[in-house]
Structures are given as structure tokens and as C-alpha cells.
Amino acid sequence: MGTIELEEAAVGCNASKIIRNDYVPIAATIVERIEETPNIFTWKLRIDDPKLRGDFTFKCGQFNMVYLFGVGEVAISIMGRDGDYLLHTIQAVGRVTNAMSNLAVGQRVGLRGPYGVGWPMNEAKSRDLVFITGGLGCAPVASAIHEAIAHREEYGRIVIMQTVLHRNDMLWEPQYDEWRKVRATQVLLASDRDKTAWPNWKKGRVAALFSEAKFDIKHCAVMCCGPHPMMTGTSRALLNMGVREEDIYLSLERNMQCALGHCGHCQMDEAFVCKDGPVFTYQRIKDVLERRGF
């Protein structure tokens, strides 16, 4: 393998630098582990090499390949950055992530990345921003919300809609309360199966929130992440409201193994989710998204 080199790849909400040789993970240490729910946790990771740590930047919506030595590697979206630390929120659902859930502070993992096309933060400037997420789909979107609020004057209204099955599935509820206080920012929450009526919460799925959302359907950018049926249904509802296909951005989750468009596991017709996504416009992927069995 060759020497690791850094190359500036793009400038979006943040400059993005790709670590090369892309087949070689770099070491990172778990400096904090936050138990979000019984099967979801957030790591604060510090890249061990000081130079690589300082050079590492990412675009909102990109992901890293996180490698547990001796077990395997998974694609995890970059939830954000806290100073020198990268934030990854992980759900323990498979062999690798279940093993990761047993790691303690001080243990080390490997990182490759960042990879993929992120959210269109530059293209969306001056427009209303509509963030629609379901379940853990909030994690790939969180960095974009933070970016928009950090540069509040550059965007129009901000509407944040999050849905979960039960309120106790909700991550970062205090953070949503803080976002609700930001100027011209609307936060709408819904739970599908709760029997209790909570203040500031609606019962139902994301469609239950649309009637209260206030944004310019002709001058907006919608950023959506969640289960595929939820994103498909949400896209149809937005189109019926008059939102243009090219203004709806969806972040897809597929079986990404190499992150370089080589292995083909995440191929979707001519596109590779790892390389050409994970963020796509509805206009580009609507034929695949609406395909039975996708």
C-alpha cells in the first residue's frame, strides 16, 4: 500500500478531504461513549495521528467506513464534529455493530473516509430548508441542521420534522427544543404508536406534520432520510404539494462494503450509492425508488 496522502476534493458546508490510500484505515480512539437508547450509542472518536486529525474535514451527509479490527467494517454517517472529535451514532443491528457496541472508552477502531456526496448546503442558500427524518435517519441530517443554524442568515425558513414509533425512541430531544428557539425555525415531532398526547408532539407519521409546516414550496430544499417506504411516501406527498422533483434530496442506506464503487454491493442501476450518493435527488432515483422490492 502506498503512503497516505490528503487531497482536497470539494468545498460544501465544509471542505472535504479524502484520506488516501483509501484501502488503509487510520487508527482512531473512542474517547466517549454515549448510550442513546438500549441499542443506539454515539461515539466521540479522536483520530490518533495529530496531522491527519487536523486535516480531516467532511461535508454534511458524508460517511466514514468504520472498521473493528478482526471483525469487519460498516458505513456510518458522520453525525458531526465536536472540536477534535468525530461523532458517529450507531445502531447495534448486525454482527459488526453489535460487536462495536461492546467496545469501551480507550479502545481503538479504524476509519476510512469521508466518502460520498453530501447534502446540497451551498445550492440551498437563500432557500427554505425542510429536514424530514424518521427514526435514526436523524443522524445523517444532524450535521446539516447544525450547519444551517450556524449560518442562519444564509437560509430562509427552517422546518425540522422528525418521526419515531414511540417517544422513547427519540434521540436528542433537548436539542430539538433548542432548535425550536432559533429565529424562523419550526420543529415538528410525531410518534406513530404512543397512546399519550405529549406537548409539542403529534400522533401519527410524517404526513400528520405537513399541515403545520410553513415553507415556500417553490423555493425550498427538502433533505430527507429514513426508512425507504417513509422516503417514498414523503416524496409523493411533497410532489402533490407542488415541490419540484429536483428540490427533494434523499439519503439512501445500502450495503456499502468498499465505499469506492468497486465491489458493486450498493449498485443501483448505473449509480453506486457509496460513490454517487448516498444523497440523491428524487428526480434522479425515482424510477429505482418506486421499483417493487427496492
Side-chain angles (χ1 to χ4, degrees), residues 255-277:
N255 179 17
M256 294 184 280
Q257 296 197 6
C258 73
L260 301 170
H262 292 169
C263 72
H265 283 87
C266 67
Q267 190 164 6
M268 198 175 60
D269 288 347
E270 80 285 356
F272 294 86
V273 175
C274 67
K275 182 168 65 74
D276 303 310

Side-chain angles (χ1 to χ4, degrees), residues 12 120-127 129 147 151 154-156 219:
M121 302 306 295
N122 282 338
E123 296 89 333
K125 286 182 178 176
S126 84
R127 292 196 262 171
L129 300 183
E147 176 74 9
H151 301 87
E154 297 179 3
Y155 301 97
H219 194 60

Side-chain angles (χ1 to χ4, degrees), residues 2 18 21 39 75-76 80 107 183 190 199 218 221 228 236 272 274 284 286:
I18 295 178
N21 185 330
N39 70 335
I76 304 291
Q107 291 190 276
R183 176 184 61 82
K218 300 298 183 186
H228 289 167
R236 291 175 188 154
F272 294 86
C274 67
R284 180 172 181 187
K286 60 182 179 182

